[in-house]
Amino acid sequence: MLPVAAFFALGTGIELYGLKWISESISIMNTISWVMFSFLVGIIVSRSYGDECLERIQRSLKSREAPVDDVLNGAVMSFCSMLLITPGVITDAIGLLIMIPATRGLFKGIALNLTRKRIQSGQQYFFFKN
């Protein structure tokens, strides 16, 4: 549990430093506006893409096909919306990279490889072990 707490503490420190650096460059009001705009985009992506993805998964299941690509796309876009909702420079940059279709395939590949490794090692839990 300590590595997880250290990761979040370090990540928070880096994000705060990034926000401080950006606010010194473009002003505090523009930084706050950017954070609020990215929050709004994250909410919109979460709501619109989530509904669309669930509909495609249901259509695939009704036609007795495995919805592998739709599930991966939905998971990556859900992660994207979480990153955009979280205030910070690095999380917003990664979220925006995921939104671009040309770079989304890279993140889908990472998610697929991570999932395959977890399945092959027999781990039942994706993030934490009991």
Side-chain angles (χ1 to χ4, degrees), residues 8-111:
F8 282 112
L10 181 65
T12 302
I14 291 170
E15 290 290 0
L16 286 173
Y17 179 76
L19 286 172
K20 179 184 174 288
W21 181 74
I22 291 291
S23 68
E24 289 173 353
S25 301
I26 64 171
S27 84
I28 290 175
M29 288 307 293
N30 287 335
T31 304
I32 292 171
S33 298
W34 175 256
V35 168
M36 296 306 292
F37 178 72
S38 69
F39 177 80
L40 180 64
V41 169
I43 294 293
I44 291 170
V45 166
S46 174
R47 293 199 47 125
S48 65
Y49 200 84
D51 292 342
E52 178 186 334
C53 182
L54 284 176
E55 288 175 14
R56 283 190 293 180
I57 290 172
Q58 287 177 347
R59 279 194 303 256
S60 296
L61 292 175
K62 285 180 183 177
S63 65
R64 299 186 189 274
E65 297 174 4
V68 177
D69 191 52
D70 289 332
V71 172
L72 268 177
N73 218 9
V76 170
M77 288 304 286
S78 295
F79 185 64
C80 166
S81 67
M82 286 188 285
L83 289 174
L84 289 172
I85 290 171
T86 304
V89 178
I90 297 170
T91 54
D92 286 350
I94 295 171
L96 290 174
L97 281 174
I98 293 173
M99 282 184 64
I100 300 169
T103 57
R104 189 179 312 149
L106 171 73
F107 292 97
K108 284 171 43 177
I110 292 170

